[in-house]
Amino acid sequence: MVSEIKKIGVFTSGGDSPGMNAAIRSVVRTCAFLKVDCVGIYRGYEGMIEGDFKPMDARSVNNIINKGGTILKSARCEPFRTEEGRKKAYEQLRAEGIDAFVVIGGDGSFTGAMIFNQEFDFPVIGIPGTIDNDIFGTTFTLGFDTALNTVVEAIDKIRDTASSHNRLFFVEVMGRDVGHIALNAGVGAGAEEILIPEENLGLDRLLESLKRSKESGKSSSIVIVAEGDKTGKNVFELKEYVEEHLPIYDVRVSVLGHMQRGGPPSCYDRVLASRMGVKAVESLLEGKTSLMVGVQDNRLILTPINKAIKGHTKIDKELIRVSEIMTT
Ligand code: ADP
């Protein structure tokens, strides 16, 4: 079958994540390999509306596989939420001769792509790029593995100073709606407690656990708190609460913040990005649309975008159990 698609646009949108550059590189090089033109769209939907395009060939993406962030820049774009904005974007794409696009982003970016596809019958494929791992249809999003490594490295350093002073540290990590980073990094870094949005541990249990930990002779304690944890208190309020109820502890807080989004992607994210980029371009050329590329059991799969944006990957109950056993 000869594909009608001769030119593919690629862009990154919404929150950035490590591995986005590796995915751009893969999309561009797959297009070059399959002799399809490729155009980089700068600043997500904002650049699409403004016609901020740049033709890309295999050499345009030299030396970016190892870089965090995104060479195409990312943006949030309110006008794309309106019919008028999307019509302008469509006109710009047609004027440039772009027949389809690959969007690398999170569920907001996918929602925009899905609506765009419905309105203009324009072929779109998504690649999940977000550190939160909060997208249904893939066990790993691009950037999640790198973020875990970043968080674990940071906590290892915090633990050094915590144990030198017999301190308790509350470490806040990203995750407003999901606790994948907190749970995985917490197990990997040997945290005493992990507070996530999916489970309400309760403040009493936290105090009990910290008391036990002190009595059992632990020299330092690390509690990982996801931004959206269910205790109803943020890290600073948790510090005050514990200081009030357990004065034996010298408590400190560390908010890791945006460092979790940066840095060179891990090998896992680079390989996954390379695989997903190939799959995205090949799928478009096979006439597929409105799908997201994901990975499950280490195989690439395609999930309808409308399903990907509606659900979250469930928190791993087995890992919660492991974390409880490890804090003994
Ligand atoms: P992410 O992709 O990381 O979830 P956002 O939720 O900020 O990031 O979405 C990125 C962009 O996608 C928005 O700035 C907007 O341009 C577009 N978008 C999000 N939701 C919609 C929507 N319901 N309709 C149209 N465009 C949308």
Side-chain angles (χ1 to χ4, degrees), residues 11 13 45 80 101-117 124-130 135-136 138 141 290-293 303-306 308-309:
F11 61 96
S13 170
Y45 294 118
F80 198 78
F101 68 62
V102 177
V103 48
I104 306 163
D107 57 356
S109 304
F110 291 168
T111 305
M114 185 185 72
I115 294 170
F116 193 73
N117 166 262
V124 303
I125 296 275
I127 292 179
T130 161
I135 293 182
F136 179 78
T138 188
T141 55
S290 217
L291 298 165
M292 182 199 78
V293 183
T303 300
I305 283 189
N306 65 346
I309 57 181

Coordinates of all heavy atoms in Angstrom, one line a residue, residues 11 13 45 80 101-117 124-130 135-136 138 141 290-293 303-306 308-309:
F11 N 6.1 17.3 17.3 CA 6.2 18.4 18.3 C 6.1 17.8 19.7 O 5.6 16.7 19.9 CB 5.2 19.5 18.1 CG 3.8 19.1 18.2 CD1 3.1 19.2 19.4 CD2 3.1 18.5 17.1 CE1 1.7 18.8 19.5 CE2 1.8 18.1 17.2 CZ 1.1 18.3 18.4
S13 N 4.7 18.9 23.7 CA 3.7 19.7 24.2 C 3.5 19.5 25.7 O 3.7 18.4 26.2 CB 2.4 19.5 23.4 OG 1.3 20.1 24.0
Y45 N 1.4 23.4 20.4 CA 0.3 23.9 19.6 C 0.4 25.4 19.4 O -0.1 25.9 18.4 CB -1.0 23.6 20.4 CG -1.4 22.2 20.5 CD1 -1.5 21.5 21.7 CD2 -1.6 21.4 19.3 CE1 -1.7 20.1 21.8 CE2 -1.8 20.0 19.4 CZ -1.9 19.4 20.6 OH -2.2 18.1 20.7
F80 N -5.5 26.9 21.5 CA -5.8 25.6 20.9 C -7.0 25.0 21.5 O -7.6 24.1 20.9 CB -4.6 24.7 21.0 CG -4.6 23.6 20.0 CD1 -4.3 23.7 18.7 CD2 -5.0 22.3 20.4 CE1 -4.4 22.7 17.8 CE2 -5.1 21.2 19.6 CZ -4.8 21.4 18.2
F101 N 0.5 14.2 12.2 CA 1.6 14.6 13.2 C 1.7 13.6 14.3 O 0.8 12.8 14.5 CB 1.4 16.0 13.7 CG 0.1 16.3 14.5 CD1 -0.1 15.7 15.8 CD2 -0.8 17.3 14.2 CE1 -1.1 16.0 16.6 CE2 -1.9 17.6 15.0 CZ -2.0 16.9 16.2
V102 N 2.9 13.6 14.9 CA 3.2 12.9 16.1 C 3.3 13.8 17.2 O 4.1 14.8 17.2 CB 4.5 12.1 15.9 CG1 4.9 11.3 17.2 CG2 4.5 11.1 14.8
V103 N 2.5 13.7 18.3 CA 2.5 14.5 19.4 C 3.2 13.8 20.6 O 2.8 12.7 20.9 CB 1.1 15.1 19.8 CG1 0.1 14.0 19.9 CG2 1.2 15.8 21.2
I104 N 4.2 14.4 21.2 CA 4.9 13.8 22.3 C 4.5 14.7 23.5 O 4.8 15.9 23.6 CB 6.4 13.9 22.1 CG1 6.8 13.2 20.8 CG2 7.1 13.2 23.3 CD1 8.2 13.5 20.3
G105 N 3.7 14.1 24.4 CA 3.3 14.9 25.6 C 2.4 14.1 26.5 O 2.5 12.8 26.5
G106 N 1.6 14.8 27.3 CA 0.8 14.1 28.3 C -0.7 14.1 27.9 O -1.0 14.4 26.8
D107 N -1.5 13.8 28.9 CA -2.9 13.6 28.6 C -3.6 14.9 28.0 O -4.5 14.8 27.2 CB -3.7 13.0 29.7 CG -3.7 13.8 31.0 OD1 -3.0 14.8 31.0 OD2 -4.4 13.4 31.9
G108 N -3.2 16.1 28.5 CA -3.7 17.3 27.9 C -3.4 17.4 26.4 O -4.3 17.7 25.6
S109 N -2.2 17.2 26.1 CA -1.7 17.3 24.7 C -2.5 16.3 23.8 O -2.8 16.5 22.7 CB -0.2 17.0 24.6 OG 0.5 17.9 25.4
F110 N -2.7 15.1 24.4 CA -3.4 14.0 23.7 C -4.9 14.4 23.5 O -5.5 14.1 22.4 CB -3.4 12.7 24.4 CG -2.0 12.1 24.4 CD1 -1.7 11.0 25.2 CD2 -1.0 12.5 23.6 CE1 -0.5 10.4 25.3 CE2 0.3 12.0 23.6 CZ 0.5 10.9 24.4
T111 N -5.5 15.1 24.5 CA -6.9 15.5 24.3 C -7.0 16.5 23.2 O -7.9 16.4 22.3 CB -7.4 16.2 25.7 OG1 -7.1 15.3 26.7 CG2 -8.8 16.5 25.6
G112 N -6.1 17.4 23.1 CA -6.1 18.4 22.0 C -5.9 17.7 20.7 O -6.6 18.0 19.7
A113 N -5.0 16.7 20.6 CA -4.8 16.0 19.3 C -6.1 15.2 18.9 O -6.4 15.1 17.8 CB -3.6 15.0 19.5
M114 N -6.7 14.6 19.9 CA -7.9 13.8 19.6 C -9.0 14.7 19.1 O -9.7 14.4 18.1 CB -8.4 13.1 20.9 CG -9.5 12.2 20.7 SD -10.1 11.5 22.3 CE -10.8 13.0 23.0
I115 N -9.2 15.8 19.7 CA -10.3 16.8 19.2 C -9.9 17.3 17.8 O -10.8 17.3 16.9 CB -10.4 18.0 20.2 CG1 -10.9 17.5 21.5 CG2 -11.3 19.1 19.6 CD1 -10.9 18.5 22.7
F116 N -8.7 17.5 17.6 CA -8.2 18.0 16.3 C -8.4 16.9 15.2 O -8.9 17.2 14.1 CB -6.7 18.3 16.4 CG -6.1 19.1 15.2 CD1 -6.4 20.4 15.1 CD2 -5.3 18.5 14.3 CE1 -5.9 21.1 14.0 CE2 -4.8 19.2 13.2 CZ -5.1 20.5 13.1
N117 N -8.2 15.7 15.6 CA -8.4 14.6 14.6 C -9.9 14.5 14.3 O -10.3 14.3 13.1 CB -7.9 13.3 15.3 CG -8.4 12.1 14.6 OD1 -9.4 11.4 15.0 ND2 -7.7 11.7 13.5
V124 N -3.3 11.6 13.6 CA -2.4 11.9 14.7 C -2.1 10.6 15.5 O -2.9 9.7 15.6 CB -3.1 12.9 15.7 CG1 -3.5 14.1 15.0 CG2 -4.3 12.2 16.4
I125 N -0.8 10.6 16.0 CA -0.4 9.5 16.9 C 0.3 10.1 18.0 O 1.1 11.1 17.9 CB 0.6 8.5 16.1 CG1 -0.1 7.8 15.0 CG2 1.2 7.5 17.1 CD1 -0.9 6.5 15.4
G126 N 0.1 9.6 19.3 CA 0.7 10.1 20.4 C 1.8 9.3 21.0 O 1.8 8.0 20.9
I127 N 2.9 9.9 21.5 CA 3.9 9.2 22.3 C 3.9 9.8 23.7 O 3.9 11.0 23.9 CB 5.3 9.5 21.7 CG1 5.4 8.8 20.3 CG2 6.4 9.0 22.6 CD1 6.7 9.0 19.6
P128 N 3.7 9.0 24.8 CA 3.5 9.5 26.1 C 4.8 10.0 26.7 O 5.8 9.2 26.9 CB 3.0 8.3 26.9 CG 3.5 7.1 26.2 CD 3.6 7.5 24.7
G129 N 4.9 11.3 26.9 CA 6.1 11.9 27.5 C 5.7 12.7 28.7 O 5.2 13.8 28.7
T130 N 5.9 12.1 29.9 CA 5.6 12.7 31.2 C 6.3 11.9 32.3 O 6.3 10.7 32.2 CB 4.1 12.8 31.5 OG1 3.9 13.1 32.8 CG2 3.4 11.6 31.1
I135 N -0.4 7.7 32.5 CA -1.3 7.6 31.3 C -1.6 6.1 31.1 O -0.7 5.2 31.2 CB -0.5 8.1 30.1 CG1 -0.4 9.6 30.3 CG2 -1.2 7.8 28.8 CD1 0.3 10.4 29.2
F136 N -2.9 5.8 30.9 CA -3.4 4.5 30.7 C -2.9 4.0 29.3 O -2.8 4.7 28.4 CB -4.9 4.5 30.7 CG -5.5 3.1 30.5 CD1 -5.5 2.2 31.5 CD2 -6.0 2.8 29.2 CE1 -6.0 0.9 31.3 CE2 -6.5 1.5 29.0 CZ -6.5 0.6 30.1
T138 N 0.1 2.2 28.9 CA 1.6 2.0 28.9 C 2.0 1.8 30.3 O 1.6 2.6 31.2 CB 2.3 3.2 28.2 OG1 3.7 2.8 28.0 CG2 2.2 4.5 28.9
T141 N 5.9 5.7 30.8 CA 5.9 6.9 30.0 C 7.4 7.4 29.9 O 8.2 7.1 30.8 CB 5.1 8.0 30.6 OG1 5.6 8.3 31.9 CG2 3.6 7.7 30.7
S290 N -5.3 8.5 15.7 CA -5.9 8.7 17.0 C -5.5 7.6 18.0 O -6.4 7.1 18.8 CB -7.4 8.9 16.9 OG -7.8 9.8 17.8
L291 N -4.3 7.2 18.0 CA -3.8 6.1 18.8 C -2.6 6.6 19.6 O -1.9 7.5 19.1 CB -3.4 4.9 18.0 CG -4.4 4.2 17.2 CD1 -3.8 3.3 16.2 CD2 -5.4 3.5 18.1
M292 N -2.3 6.0 20.7 CA -1.1 6.3 21.5 C -0.2 5.0 21.5 O -0.7 3.9 21.7 CB -1.4 6.7 22.9 CG -0.2 7.0 23.7 SD -0.5 7.0 25.5 CE -0.4 5.2 25.8
V293 N 1.1 5.2 21.3 CA 2.0 4.1 21.4 C 2.4 3.9 22.9 O 2.6 4.9 23.6 CB 3.4 4.4 20.7 CG1 4.3 3.2 20.7 CG2 3.1 4.8 19.2
T303 N -3.0 2.1 21.8 CA -4.2 2.3 22.6 C -5.0 3.5 22.0 O -4.3 4.5 21.8 CB -3.9 2.6 24.1 OG1 -3.2 1.4 24.6 CG2 -5.2 2.8 24.9
P304 N -6.3 3.4 21.8 CA -7.0 4.6 21.3 C -6.8 5.8 22.3 O -6.8 5.6 23.5 CB -8.5 4.1 21.4 CG -8.4 2.7 21.3 CD -7.2 2.2 22.0
I305 N -6.5 6.9 21.7 CA -6.2 8.1 22.6 C -7.3 8.4 23.6 O -7.0 8.7 24.7 CB -5.9 9.3 21.7 CG1 -4.5 9.2 21.1 CG2 -6.0 10.6 22.5 CD1 -3.9 10.4 20.4
N306 N -8.6 8.2 23.2 CA -9.7 8.5 24.1 C -9.6 7.6 25.3 O -10.0 8.0 26.4 CB -11.0 8.4 23.4 CG -11.4 7.1 22.9 OD1 -10.5 6.2 22.8 ND2 -12.6 6.9 22.6
A308 N -6.6 6.3 26.5 CA -5.4 6.6 27.2 C -5.6 7.8 28.1 O -5.0 7.9 29.2 CB -4.3 6.9 26.1
I309 N -6.4 8.8 27.7 CA -6.5 10.0 28.5 C -7.5 9.8 29.6 O -7.6 10.7 30.5 CB -7.0 11.2 27.6 CG1 -8.3 10.9 26.9 CG2 -5.9 11.6 26.7 CD1 -8.7 12.1 26.0

